[in-house]
């Protein structure tokens, strides 16, 4: 109750720490966020912690791509089979794909620019961050995490890096998407045959429509885990610095980096 009363005194806060994860404002490069939306609609918004909009765009991409068989048409095009690509595309829904795809890119870029401005205002307001929360199900707190370790765990299995960063809901959703893609693409079965040296069977069992989702999804989870760990560490440093200034800075003196306190 006291925390909620204190938070109402401030217009903007840089972070919110809950049992299920940490949502925070951090400056980002709009072009990088937009590039991830180009790779897969929804990824850019997830980088911004805009989860509802990001999940909605992810689900739409899966739905419309499966209906029009866009990934399979792309594979045919890469192989020079342009007539086969035209034959497999469903023209009834093709017109719905492009506007949403362009919107995802534009909106992620626009939102990044806006959130960067809000971060500057929140940083100047310097509202305190709740760095520790405990509940019946979980404990979450700000501390230092290793970015390379978060990236390594995500490279091993997508979602583990997010779990290492205590992003419970996001990690669960990433794991479900991973299982869904791997199961339908039969990627692990293909790798199994490839290890046995049966290249023909390895290629035959793959579902190219589903397997084309995996590269962008896989590398996004690695990038997301790494960049979130970096931002988490920045938030921790900022919160600790503000706490020490408020609690341990001598009255009438301003401690600056590199200055001795007499």
């Amino acid at each position: 109750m006291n925390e909620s009363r204190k938070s109402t005194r401030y217009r903007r806060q840089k972070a919110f720490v809950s049992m299920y994860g940490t949502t925070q404002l951090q400056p980002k490069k709009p072009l990088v966020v937009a590039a991830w939306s180009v790779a897969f609609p929804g990824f850019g918004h997830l980088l911004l912690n805009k989860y509802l909009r990001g999940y909605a765009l992810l689900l739409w991409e899966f739905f419309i791509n499966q209906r029009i068989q866009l990934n399979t048409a792309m594979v045919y095009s890469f192989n020079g089979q342009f007539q086969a690509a035209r034959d497999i595309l469903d023209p009834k829904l093709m017109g719905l794909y492009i506007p949403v795809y362009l919107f995802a890119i534009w909106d992620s870029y626009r939102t990044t620019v806006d959130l960067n401005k809000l971060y500057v205002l929140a940083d100047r307001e310097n509202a305190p961050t709740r760095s520790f929360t405990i509940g019946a199900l979980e404990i979450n707190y700000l501390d230092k995490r290793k970015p390379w370790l978060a990236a390594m765990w995500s490279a091993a299995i997508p979602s583990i890096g997010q779990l290492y960063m205590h992003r419970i809901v996001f990690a669960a959703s990433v794991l479900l998407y991973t299982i869904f893609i791997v199961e339908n693409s039969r990627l692990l079965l293909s790798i199994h045959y490839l290890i046995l040296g049966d290249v023909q069977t390895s290629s035959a069992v793959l579902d190219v429509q589903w397997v084309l989702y995996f590269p962008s999804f896989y590398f996004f989870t690695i990038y997301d885990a790494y960049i979130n760990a970096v931002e988490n560490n920045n938030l921790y440093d900022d919160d600790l610095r503000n706490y020490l200034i408020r609690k341990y800075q001598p009255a009438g003196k301003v401690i600056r980096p590199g200055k001795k306190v007499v």
Side-chain angles (χ1 to χ4, degrees):
M1 180 63 72
N2 291 334
E3 289 291 339
S4 62
R5 285 178 179 173
K6 289 179 182 178
S7 64
T8 58
R9 297 186 301 167
Y10 302 95
R11 293 192 65 189
R12 302 171 185 88
Q13 289 184 294
K14 286 190 288 187
F16 175 73
V17 178
S18 73
M19 289 190 298
Y20 309 108
T22 302
T23 304
Q24 60 179 304
L25 284 173
Q26 284 287 346
K28 291 182 172 64
K29 295 181 179 179
L31 287 177
V32 173
V33 175
W36 279 111
S37 289
V38 171
F40 206 104
F43 283 174
H45 292 86
L46 293 177
L47 284 175
L48 299 173
N49 295 325
K50 303 275 287 184
Y51 294 114
L52 293 179
R53 193 174 302 187
Y55 288 140
L57 289 169
L58 278 177
L59 291 173
W60 170 256
E61 172 65 19
F62 276 112
F63 169 77
I64 196 69
N65 201 316
Q66 287 300 117
R67 289 295 301 271
I68 66 178
Q69 294 291 295
L70 180 61
N71 285 349
T72 305
M74 290 172 61
V75 173
Y76 283 139
S77 298
F78 295 154
N79 291 327
Q81 300 172 285
F82 301 111
Q83 185 58 48
R86 286 194 292 267
D87 291 340
I88 200 170
L89 279 175
D90 187 350
K92 297 194 297 297
L93 296 175
M94 190 64 189
L96 297 177
Y97 182 84
I98 297 175
V100 178
Y101 181 75
L102 294 177
F103 169 79
I105 300 170
W106 171 81
D107 188 63
S108 63
Y109 183 94
R110 175 197 64 83
T111 305
T112 307
V113 173
D114 289 345
L115 291 181
N116 285 347
K117 295 176 182 177
L118 290 174
Y119 172 81
V120 173
L121 295 174
D123 188 55
R124 290 177 180 176
E125 191 169 2
N126 202 24
T129 299
R130 185 182 182 185
S131 59
F132 177 86
T133 182
I134 185 170
L137 298 177
E138 268 293 346
I139 301 172
N140 189 18
Y141 50 90
L142 292 179
D143 70 337
K144 286 279 192 175
R145 308 288 170 91
K146 296 179 179 179
W148 67 268
L149 192 57
M152 184 194 73
W153 280 118
S154 281
I157 301 177
S159 78
I160 302 300
Q162 284 71 25
L163 195 61
Y164 169 66
M165 294 305 304
H166 196 94
R167 302 167 71 192
I168 305 297
V169 176
F170 187 54
S173 65
V174 169
L175 183 59
L176 289 175
Y177 276 117
T178 302
I179 294 172
F180 199 57
I181 293 172
V182 170
E183 173 68 20
N184 285 280
S185 66
R186 298 190 288 275
L187 180 61
L188 293 182
L189 182 61
S190 175
I191 294 174
H192 170 75
Y193 283 119
L194 186 63
I195 293 173
L196 295 178
D198 193 347
V199 179
Q200 185 174 0
T201 306
S202 176
S203 301
V205 298
L206 272 179
D207 187 332
V208 294
Q209 172 62 29
W210 281 96
V211 81
L212 232 59
Y213 292 126
F214 193 76
S216 57
F217 183 80
Y218 179 73
F219 288 109
F220 169 76
T221 59
I222 298 173
Y223 176 82
D224 174 78
Y226 182 89
I227 202 69
N228 191 263
V230 172
E231 293 174 351
N232 177 83
N233 292 346
N234 291 338
L235 179 63
Y236 174 84
D237 290 338
D238 186 60
D239 177 68
L240 182 59
R241 180 174 60 251
N242 288 333
Y243 177 79
L244 293 175
I245 289 174
R246 288 195 306 269
K247 297 294 184 180
Y248 294 100
Q249 182 169 263
K253 291 183 178 291
V254 178
I255 299 175
R256 303 189 185 280
K259 180 180 177 182
K260 289 186 177 180
V261 179
V262 182

